Amino acid sequence: MIGLLGRKRGKGEGKASIVVDSARKATGGRTRNRVVMTMAVFFGIYATIAGRLVYLGMQDPETSSGPESRVTASRPDIVDRNGEVLATDIKTASLFAEPRRIVDADEAIEKLSTVLPDLEVEQTYLKLKSGTGFVWLKRQLTPKQQAEIMQLGIPGIGFRTEKRRFYPGGETASHIVGLTNIDNKGISGLEKYIDDQGLADLQASGLAIAKDLKPVKLSIDLRVQHIVRDELVSALEKYKAIAAGAVVLDVKTGEVLAMGSVPDFDPNNPFNAQDKDRLNRMSAGLFEMGSTIKSFTTAMALDSGKVTMDSTFDARRPITIGRQTIRDFHGKGRVLTVPEVFIYSSNIGSAREADVVGIEGHREFLKRMGLLDRMQTELPEVARPTEPKVWKKVHSITISFGHGMSTTPLQTAVGAAALMNGGKLIPPTFLTRTEAEADALATQVIKPQTSEEMKYLYKLNATKGSGGSGARAQVEGYRVGGKTGTAEKVVNGRYSSDVRFNAFLAAFPMDNPKYVVLTIVDEPKREHPGVGATAGFNAAPMVANIIRRSASLLGVKPEFGQEGGATLASYP
């Protein structure tokens, strides 16, 4: 009995043992599978890491060291209207270090200083001892510097190829073209304008690829630009002035063919670009433009319909208003016709012209001509004109002959272009533009008849023997007309008769004006004893020199023996 029971129990135990063994085998299989899968995952991870390390070890330091940077982003070439390069990208080497690989920081700095004497020793030492993987030491080296540093054989340093901006013309058009910073980003001039038009976004997204960037064509003619700057540099020295400037403007399209302001700077080495005296005075400088503003005063009076070319104004006695007395510089002491007011540059006559129009009409006209608002153009460096907060009669009188409001020389030239082109105010541009495109942007600001009258007055003022102040701007064969402007500058809160800002506003050829030329001379000195320091003696000859040298390049053919000079009695 007991044996049977034992045998039965043994059979049950055998079956249980078989079940347990099967379960153990199944569990063991799953465990082995998990182990194998885990090993495979880890093997894959380590294989990927090892492969990456091998790949990086085989790379050149120039392409593998340091974080990816946008400094190498391309920029489009900038060219003049004839395709001459004004700005382009060139490749340059920049020096970096891997501090973890630097053996002796002091020795490395000592060696580098033999090639880079301006290296900041303390700052460089801190960089080399930082223990980081990458630091810049010197950006944009010359090929000679790169070769000499390579010969030093310093472990832990290398070179990275970057792009930098190169300006073949140097100072020639520096204020127009502008600058980029060390990261090849536009920070002034047309370089900044290009970034603001979307280039910066393309660079940020990695889409600024050199082969896809079309050159940016400017309205500038590099040949004329060179002439303008050459004349400005000569004038600066000849008249011992603190500054000089000029602009050549197409009156039918608003294109700026040339513009310069000296002192300027070399964009390839712009260490002094931010100096106060390097300001672009033509667009970013504000000046009382003196008697050039009488062009607009006379045009305003004629355009109002209240004054004609036959009108007369009493200039026999000075005008006293409040504590101010308005006198003429070379007064005639008699009644003057409108042409006489203009060519004799009568302050009294101009004041009476403004009085006919009235205070509100006067301000409205100057605003209509674009002289009181910030000018809209591609150049970022543009100043906002200043005017009295509340216009009173005394303000209208002084502004009529160029004192009491300040505007930029470029705006003055743009306004004068409207006086010469039939009365259309066209926004200035530094990019190429057709006449059809200009007409679409133009605003009719004066009557065509007023424009014809102003052309006559400009011609009259520059005709030899007429008594006008612009005779020294005349160039044989090119029929130049214009208006001088000699403004006393404020010194210690008072106008000084010895410190002047001179300008000459010209147009040519006067039978059908194509170009306006404006020159300025800031604080000129007398060229010779007995020779005046007014605009007729310096700013006007500058205009003549610019036109004489550049007119043929601008497509204006001379016509000798047909000057067609105006006289006081010749207007129809």
Side-chain angles (χ1 to χ4, degrees), residues 403-414:
H403 287 288
M405 61 158 279
S406 297
T407 191
T408 69
L410 180 56
Q411 281 175 277
T412 307
V414 171

Side-chain angles (χ1 to χ4, degrees), residues 51 71 136 199 222 227 239 307 342 402 462-463 483 495 517 526 539:
V71 299
W136 287 117
L199 178 64
L222 186 57
I227 291 169
Y239 303 120
V307 173
F342 191 80
T463 299
K483 181 73 185 77
Y495 285 105
V517 181
R526 296 177 187 273

